[in-house]
Amino acid sequence: MHVSPRIAALKTSPASLLAKQARELRSAGRDIILLSSGELDFPTPLHVIEAADRAARAVPVGYTDVDGSASLKEAVREKFARENGIICGQDEVIICNGSKQVMFNGLMATIAAGDEVIVPAPYWASYLELVAFAGGTPVVAETNGKLTPDALEKAITPQTRWLILNNPVNPTGGVYSARELAALADVLRRHPHVMVMSDDLYEHIVFDGAAFATMASAAPDLAERTLTVNGVSKAYAMMGWRIGYGAGSRALIANMVKVQSQSTSNASTVSQAAAEAALRGPQIEISHNLASMTQARGKVLEAVRMMPGLAMEAPMGTFYAYVSCAGLLESRTAEGNGLRDDRDVARFLLDEGGVVVMPGADCGLSPYFRINFACLPETLDRALAQIGRAVAMLA
Ligand code: PLP
């Protein structure tokens, strides 16, 4: 079969490959705990399900406008104004199939061959592939967790089209303050050809009272060249409903709508009704879920710090622990095999602990592994005990 060069070079999302591997092992009878995913083990709020039920009973369940139903777009505009101080018109927002499609549309609408996109490392692995798929070149900027103005300045070239900024950061849990964003904005003002893609998907998952900030409000003069990306997946545990949304300039959004009109058309009409209920309805689940995740974070910190060879800092946001496994790289398994890198460590934790983790190599910073702690307390307890037992077997 002939495969296009664009697809031949594309990597499948590591999280989905790990999830598939876990499913296969489970169906072969192994007891496997999946901590590599980006999902929260919480239910969709009931009022959201009821709104979806009503929408599903409409006759017909028709298409909406490609860029989303007028009422969901209105709810998104209100959300941006209320929570982020971002004021945008009806034609400056778009509703997509997940925030991933917002970014896909944004890149497809703007990238030409040779264009560069700055991606701070460590990163969510899909950024690199989305950029490459659109025909651009990802330029990875090394960071100590968060991009500094100096590192940004060094990474910018005349070919730079976008900076992708993820806040809070998957996988390290770093949270940029408004002041840190303002310092990055100072650099961007000197380079008017660079646009900013602000991936705010984990906005509501910040700990210890840390304040969330986003570029379009930290530097309002840059709003015209910022695409603010968000969605309901992580805020409301609605990963599978596939609704993301974005706000940007009228011209950018119009071109993104063109991309979507010839690919998926509108996001699911039923899911749009659900997302509207989530955005407009009671927000209490956000704080309930955050309270559970705060407890889980404490549990992970305590457990990991007791495990020889592992170390971690407390994440300030997201539901991931990015665990350094540098201290395991000299060790040997009972069979005498050495652990050379974080892929070996992940393999070992799966073989000996029955726990799937995401190797740092897939996030652009090694030797680490990422674990998701937005799971049921009993699952997390069991996973931590199994990781602890596996690590203790190393010599
Ligand atoms: N951005 C980040 C940083 C993510 O971790 C994810 C998913 O895990 C996404 C975007 C995509 O999420 P969705 O398409 O469900 O909105």
Side-chain angles (χ1 to χ4, degrees):
M1 184 197 135
H2 178 76
V3 176
S4 84
R6 199 172 51 238
I7 294 300
L10 198 68
K11 290 199 196 101
T12 306
S13 141
S16 64
L17 287 177
L18 289 167
K20 185 162 179 272
Q21 188 186 15
R23 272 194 299 275
E24 284 164 4
L25 288 168
R26 277 179 189 147
S27 59
R30 276 200 65 190
D31 180 17
I32 299 293
I33 304 177
L34 186 71
L35 292 192
S36 56
S37 82
E39 301 181 63
L40 303 92
D41 234 339
F42 300 123
T44 300
L46 198 56
H47 67 279
V48 170
I49 297 171
E50 285 164 358
D53 182 66
R54 283 192 297 277
R57 288 171 196 276
V59 180
V61 177
Y63 300 122
T64 67
D65 286 340
V66 169
D67 55 339
S69 72
S71 57
L72 176 55
K73 285 171 62 183
E74 192 55 35
V76 164
R77 288 178 57 218
E78 286 168 15
K79 179 264 180 256
F80 276 132
R82 182 178 69 239
E83 296 185 347
N84 308 114
I86 299 174
I87 308 300
C88 43
Q90 273 271 347
D91 48 4
E92 291 171 325
V93 297
I94 182 170
I95 310 299
C96 301
N97 295 275
S99 66
K100 196 177 206 171
Q101 193 187 25
V102 182
M103 295 184 260
F104 177 84
N105 289 343
L107 293 167
M108 290 299 274
T110 53
I111 295 285
D115 285 348
E116 296 175 354
V117 177
I118 300 171
V119 179
Y123 43 68
W124 178 51
S126 288
Y127 295 138
L128 305 191
E129 300 306 314
L130 287 168
V131 170
F133 191 58
T137 306
V139 173
V140 173
E142 303 301 334
T143 76
N144 283 330
K146 287 190 269 182
L147 184 67
T148 60
D150 269 0
L152 173 59
E153 184 73 66
K154 286 200 187 89
I156 294 176
T157 74
Q159 283 71 49
T160 307
R161 180 70 58 212
W162 288 96
L163 159 68
I164 299 184
L165 209 54
N166 177 210
N167 183 34
V169 183
N170 170 5
T172 58
V175 175
Y176 290 86
S177 66
R179 186 190 289 213
E180 287 166 329
L181 294 180
L184 295 174
D186 286 342
V187 176
L188 293 166
R189 281 190 195 97
R190 294 196 285 276
H191 303 280
H193 64 293
V194 181
M195 297 189 286
V196 185
M197 195 171 287
S198 179
D199 178 352
D200 298 350
L201 201 62
Y202 295 86
E203 163 177 19
H204 290 293
I205 307 170
V206 287
F207 303 107
D208 302 338
F212 169 78
T214 188
M215 189 59 95
S217 52
D221 57 315
L222 300 190
E224 191 58 23
R225 53 174 158 133
T226 300
L227 175 63
T228 305
V229 181
N230 213 323
V232 296
S233 291
K234 319 288 175 175
Y236 305 98
M238 289 175 64
M239 295 72 57
W241 295 82
R242 308 307 305 129
I243 297 291
Y245 50 85
S249 72
R250 188 165 298 134
L252 174 61
I253 296 293
N255 285 296
M256 290 168 60
V257 175
K258 239 195 235 180
V259 176
Q260 190 162 316
S261 75
Q262 296 301 359
S263 48
T264 61
S265 298
N266 65 277
S268 150
T269 303
V270 172
S271 291
Q272 287 193 60
E276 188 181 336
L279 291 174
R280 288 195 194 281
Q283 303 293 303
I284 191 74
E285 267 89 353
I286 291 182
S287 35
H288 281 165
N289 292 351
L290 186 63
S292 308
M293 288 185 269
T294 306
Q295 277 200 343
R297 180 185 75 143
K299 204 181 267 185
V300 173
L301 263 173
E302 202 182 305
V304 166
R305 286 180 175 163
M306 300 292 285
M307 295 181 199
L310 300 183
M312 67 174 279
E313 287 182 23
M316 294 306 293
T318 76
F319 45 80
Y320 304 114
Y322 206 50
V323 180
S324 164
C325 52
L328 295 186
L329 295 191
E330 300 297 314
S331 3
R332 300 206 154 268
T333 65
E335 294 78 41
N337 299 323
L339 301 178
R340 288 158 305 172
D341 54 26
D342 50 31
R343 287 198 194 282
D344 280 355
V345 172
R347 182 82 233 173
F348 169 75
L349 293 177
L350 174 58
D351 290 344
E352 297 302 330
V355 179
V356 186
V357 301
M358 167 91 72
D362 288 325
C363 308
L365 183 68
S366 291
Y368 286 83
F369 60 84
R370 191 195 77 176
I371 59 181
N372 171 340
F373 55 80
C375 46
L376 297 174
E378 50 275 25
T379 307
L380 187 61
D381 288 343
R382 210 153 56 81
L384 291 171
Q386 288 174 206
I387 292 174
R389 269 199 298 279
V391 168
M393 286 163 54
L394 291 167

Coordinates of all heavy atoms in Angstrom, one line a residue, residues 15 37-39 97-103 123-127 130 166-171 199-202 229-234 238-245 318-320 370, ligand 1:
A15 N 0.5 7.7 24.5 CA -0.5 7.3 25.5 C -1.5 6.3 25.0 O -1.9 5.3 25.7 CB -1.3 8.6 26.0
S37 N -2.3 7.1 31.3 CA -3.3 7.8 30.5 C -3.4 9.3 30.9 O -3.0 9.7 32.0 CB -4.6 7.1 30.5 OG -5.3 7.5 31.7
G38 N -4.2 10.0 30.1 CA -4.5 11.4 30.5 C -5.9 11.6 30.9 O -6.5 12.6 30.6
E39 N -6.4 10.5 31.6 CA -7.9 10.6 31.9 C -8.1 10.7 33.4 O -7.2 10.2 34.2 CB -8.5 9.3 31.4 CG -8.4 9.2 29.9 CD -9.1 7.9 29.3 OE1 -10.3 7.9 29.5 OE2 -8.4 7.1 28.8
N97 N -13.6 19.1 18.1 CA -13.7 17.7 18.7 C -12.4 17.6 19.6 O -11.4 17.0 19.2 CB -13.6 16.6 17.6 CG -14.8 16.7 16.7 OD1 -15.8 16.1 17.0 ND2 -14.7 17.4 15.6
G98 N -12.5 18.2 20.8 CA -11.4 18.1 21.7 C -10.5 19.3 21.4 O -10.4 19.9 20.3
S99 N -9.7 19.6 22.5 CA -8.8 20.8 22.3 C -7.7 20.4 21.3 O -7.0 21.2 20.7 CB -8.1 21.1 23.6 OG -7.4 20.1 24.1
K100 N -7.5 19.1 21.1 CA -6.4 18.6 20.2 C -6.8 19.1 18.8 O -5.9 19.5 18.0 CB -6.4 17.1 20.2 CG -5.1 16.5 19.6 CD -5.2 15.0 19.7 CE -3.8 14.4 19.7 NZ -3.7 13.0 20.1
Q101 N -8.1 19.1 18.4 CA -8.5 19.5 17.1 C -8.4 21.0 17.0 O -8.2 21.5 15.9 CB -9.9 19.0 16.8 CG -10.2 19.2 15.3 CD -11.6 18.9 14.9 OE1 -12.5 19.0 15.7 NE2 -11.8 18.6 13.6
V102 N -8.5 21.7 18.1 CA -8.4 23.2 18.0 C -6.9 23.5 17.6 O -6.7 24.3 16.7 CB -8.6 23.9 19.4 CG1 -8.5 25.4 19.3 CG2 -10.0 23.5 20.0
M103 N -6.0 22.7 18.2 CA -4.6 23.0 17.8 C -4.3 22.5 16.4 O -3.5 23.1 15.7 CB -3.7 22.3 18.9 CG -3.8 22.9 20.2 SD -2.8 22.2 21.5 CE -3.9 21.1 22.3
Y123 N 7.3 18.1 27.3 CA 6.0 18.5 26.6 C 5.0 17.4 26.5 O 5.4 16.2 26.8 CB 6.4 18.9 25.2 CG 7.4 18.0 24.5 CD1 7.0 16.7 24.2 CD2 8.7 18.4 24.2 CE1 8.0 15.8 23.6 CE2 9.6 17.6 23.7 CZ 9.3 16.3 23.3 OH 10.2 15.4 22.8
W124 N 3.8 17.7 26.1 CA 2.8 16.7 25.7 C 3.2 16.2 24.3 O 3.4 17.1 23.4 CB 1.5 17.4 25.7 CG 0.3 16.5 25.3 CD1 0.1 15.2 25.8 CD2 -0.7 16.8 24.3 NE1 -1.1 14.7 25.2 CE2 -1.5 15.6 24.3 CE3 -0.9 17.9 23.5 CZ2 -2.6 15.6 23.4 CZ3 -2.0 17.8 22.7 CH2 -2.9 16.7 22.6
A125 N 3.5 14.9 24.2 CA 4.1 14.4 23.0 C 3.4 14.8 21.7 O 4.1 15.0 20.7 CB 4.2 12.9 23.1
S126 N 2.1 15.0 21.7 CA 1.4 15.3 20.5 C 1.8 16.6 19.8 O 1.6 16.7 18.6 CB -0.1 15.3 20.8 OG -0.6 14.0 21.0
Y127 N 2.3 17.6 20.6 CA 2.7 18.8 20.0 C 3.6 18.6 18.8 O 3.4 19.2 17.7 CB 3.3 19.8 20.9 CG 2.5 20.2 22.1 CD1 3.0 20.3 23.4 CD2 1.2 20.6 21.9 CE1 2.3 20.8 24.4 CE2 0.4 21.1 23.0 CZ 1.0 21.1 24.2 OH 0.2 21.6 25.3
L130 N 1.7 17.0 15.8 CA 0.8 18.0 15.2 C 1.5 19.0 14.3 O 1.0 19.3 13.2 CB 0.0 18.7 16.3 CG -1.1 17.9 17.1 CD1 -1.5 18.7 18.3 CD2 -2.3 17.6 16.2
N166 N 2.0 25.5 27.3 CA 1.1 24.7 28.0 C 1.1 25.1 29.5 O 2.2 25.0 30.1 CB 1.4 23.2 27.8 CG 0.5 22.3 28.5 OD1 1.0 21.2 28.9 ND2 -0.7 22.6 28.7
N167 N 0.0 25.5 30.0 CA -0.1 26.0 31.4 C -1.4 25.5 32.0 O -2.4 25.9 31.5 CB 0.1 27.5 31.4 CG 0.1 28.0 32.9 OD1 0.6 27.4 33.8 ND2 -0.4 29.2 33.1
P168 N -1.3 24.8 33.1 CA -0.3 24.1 33.8 C 0.4 23.0 32.8 O -0.3 22.6 31.9 CB -0.9 23.3 34.9 CG -2.1 24.1 35.2 CD -2.6 24.7 33.9
V169 N 1.6 22.7 33.1 CA 2.4 21.9 32.2 C 2.2 20.4 32.4 O 2.5 19.9 33.4 CB 3.9 22.2 32.3 CG1 4.8 21.5 31.3 CG2 4.2 23.7 32.3
N170 N 1.8 19.8 31.3 CA 1.8 18.3 31.2 C 3.2 18.0 30.6 O 3.4 18.4 29.5 CB 0.7 17.8 30.3 CG 0.8 16.3 30.0 OD1 1.7 15.6 30.5 ND2 -0.1 15.9 29.1
P171 N 4.1 17.3 31.2 CA 4.0 16.4 32.4 C 4.5 16.9 33.7 O 4.3 16.2 34.7 CB 4.9 15.3 31.9 CG 6.1 16.0 31.3 CD 5.5 17.2 30.6
D199 N -2.2 26.5 25.5 CA -2.9 25.3 25.8 C -3.2 25.3 27.3 O -2.4 25.0 28.1 CB -2.1 24.1 25.4 CG -2.9 22.8 25.7 OD1 -3.9 22.8 26.4 OD2 -2.4 21.7 25.3
D200 N -4.5 25.7 27.6 CA -4.9 25.9 29.0 C -5.7 24.7 29.5 O -6.5 24.9 30.5 CB -5.7 27.2 29.1 CG -4.9 28.4 28.7 OD1 -3.7 28.3 28.5 OD2 -5.6 29.5 28.6
L201 N -5.6 23.6 29.0 CA -6.5 22.5 29.3 C -6.6 22.1 30.7 O -7.6 21.7 31.2 CB -6.1 21.3 28.4 CG -7.3 20.3 28.2 CD1 -8.4 20.9 27.5 CD2 -6.8 19.0 27.5
Y202 N -5.5 22.3 31.5 CA -5.5 21.9 32.9 C -5.7 23.1 33.8 O -5.4 23.1 35.0 CB -4.1 21.2 33.2 CG -3.9 19.9 32.5 CD1 -3.4 19.9 31.2 CD2 -4.3 18.7 33.1 CE1 -3.2 18.7 30.5 CE2 -4.1 17.5 32.4 CZ -3.6 17.5 31.1 OH -3.4 16.3 30.5
V229 N -6.5 28.0 23.9 CA -7.1 26.6 23.7 C -7.5 26.1 25.0 O -6.8 26.1 26.0 CB -6.0 25.7 23.1 CG1 -6.6 24.3 22.8 CG2 -5.4 26.3 21.8
N230 N -8.8 25.5 25.0 CA -9.2 24.9 26.3 C -10.3 23.9 25.9 O -10.5 23.6 24.7 CB -9.8 26.0 27.2 CG -9.6 25.7 28.7 OD1 -9.7 24.6 29.1 ND2 -9.4 26.7 29.5
G231 N -10.9 23.3 26.9 CA -11.9 22.2 26.6 C -12.5 21.7 27.9 O -12.1 22.1 29.0
V232 N -13.4 20.7 27.7 CA -14.1 20.2 28.9 C -13.4 18.9 29.4 O -13.8 18.4 30.5 CB -15.6 20.0 28.6 CG1 -16.3 21.3 28.3 CG2 -15.8 19.0 27.5
S233 N -12.5 18.4 28.7 CA -11.9 17.0 29.0 C -11.5 16.9 30.5 O -11.9 16.0 31.2 CB -10.8 16.7 28.1 OG -11.2 16.4 26.8
K234 N -10.6 17.8 30.9 CA -9.9 17.7 32.2 C -10.7 18.5 33.3 O -10.7 18.1 34.4 CB -8.5 18.2 32.2 CG -7.7 17.8 30.9 CD -7.3 16.3 30.8 CE -6.7 16.0 29.5 NZ -6.2 14.7 29.3
M238 N -14.6 14.9 31.2 CA -15.4 14.7 30.0 C -14.5 14.3 28.8 O -14.8 14.8 27.7 CB -16.3 15.9 29.7 CG -17.4 16.0 30.7 SD -18.4 17.5 30.4 CE -19.1 17.2 28.8
M239 N -13.5 13.5 29.0 CA -12.5 13.2 28.0 C -13.2 12.7 26.7 O -13.0 13.1 25.6 CB -11.5 12.2 28.4 CG -10.6 12.6 29.6 SD -11.4 12.7 31.2 CE -12.1 11.1 31.5
G240 N -14.1 11.7 26.9 CA -14.7 11.0 25.8 C -15.8 11.8 25.1 O -16.2 11.3 24.0
W241 N -16.2 12.9 25.6 CA -17.2 13.7 25.0 C -16.7 14.5 23.8 O -17.4 14.9 22.9 CB -17.9 14.6 26.0 CG -18.7 13.9 27.1 CD1 -18.1 13.4 28.2 CD2 -20.1 13.6 27.1 NE1 -19.1 12.8 29.0 CE2 -20.3 13.0 28.3 CE3 -21.1 13.9 26.3 CZ2 -21.6 12.6 28.7 CZ3 -22.4 13.5 26.7 CH2 -22.6 12.9 27.9
R242 N -15.4 14.7 23.8 CA -14.6 15.3 22.7 C -15.1 16.7 22.4 O -15.5 17.0 21.3 CB -14.6 14.4 21.4 CG -14.2 13.0 21.6 CD -12.9 12.8 22.3 NE -11.8 13.5 21.6 CZ -11.0 14.3 22.3 NH1 -11.0 14.5 23.6 NH2 -10.0 14.9 21.6
I243 N -15.0 17.6 23.4 CA -15.3 19.0 23.1 C -14.2 19.8 23.6 O -13.8 19.8 24.7 CB -16.6 19.5 23.7 CG1 -17.8 18.7 23.1 CG2 -16.8 21.0 23.5 CD1 -18.2 19.0 21.7
G244 N -13.6 20.6 22.6 CA -12.6 21.6 23.0 C -13.0 22.9 22.3 O -13.9 22.9 21.4
Y245 N -12.4 24.0 22.7 CA -12.8 25.3 22.1 C -11.6 26.2 22.1 O -10.6 26.0 22.9 CB -14.0 25.9 22.9 CG -13.9 26.0 24.4 CD1 -13.2 27.0 25.0 CD2 -14.4 24.9 25.2 CE1 -13.1 27.1 26.4 CE2 -14.2 25.0 26.6 CZ -13.6 26.1 27.2 OH -13.5 26.1 28.5
T318 N -2.0 20.1 37.2 CA -2.2 18.9 36.4 C -2.4 17.7 37.4 O -2.3 17.9 38.6 CB -1.1 18.5 35.4 OG1 0.0 18.0 36.1 CG2 -0.7 19.6 34.5
F319 N -2.6 16.5 36.9 CA -2.8 15.4 37.8 C -1.7 14.3 37.5 O -1.9 13.2 37.5 CB -4.2 14.8 37.7 CG -4.7 14.6 36.3 CD1 -4.4 13.5 35.5 CD2 -5.6 15.5 35.8 CE1 -4.9 13.4 34.2 CE2 -6.2 15.4 34.5 CZ -5.8 14.3 33.7
Y320 N -0.5 14.9 37.2 CA 0.6 14.0 36.9 C 1.8 14.2 37.9 O 2.0 15.3 38.3 CB 1.2 14.3 35.5 CG 0.1 14.2 34.4 CD1 -0.2 15.3 33.7 CD2 -0.5 13.0 34.1 CE1 -1.2 15.2 32.7 CE2 -1.4 12.9 33.1 CZ -1.8 14.0 32.4 OH -2.7 13.9 31.4
R370 N 6.1 9.3 34.0 CA 4.9 10.1 34.4 C 3.8 9.2 34.8 O 3.6 8.2 34.2 CB 4.4 10.9 33.2 CG 3.4 12.0 33.5 CD 2.7 12.5 32.3 NE 1.7 11.5 31.8 CZ 0.8 11.7 30.8 NH1 0.9 12.9 30.1 NH2 0.0 10.8 30.4
Ligands
PLP1 N1 -3.3 19.3 25.7 C1 -2.7 18.6 26.7 C2 -1.6 19.2 27.4 C3 -3.1 17.3 27.0 O1 -2.5 16.6 27.9 C4 -4.2 16.8 26.2 C5 -4.7 15.4 26.5 O2 -4.2 14.7 27.3 C6 -4.8 17.5 25.3 C7 -4.3 18.8 25.0 C8 -6.0 17.0 24.4 O3 -7.1 16.9 25.1 P1 -8.6 16.9 24.5 O4 -8.4 16.8 23.0 O5 -9.3 15.8 25.1 O6 -9.2 18.3 24.8

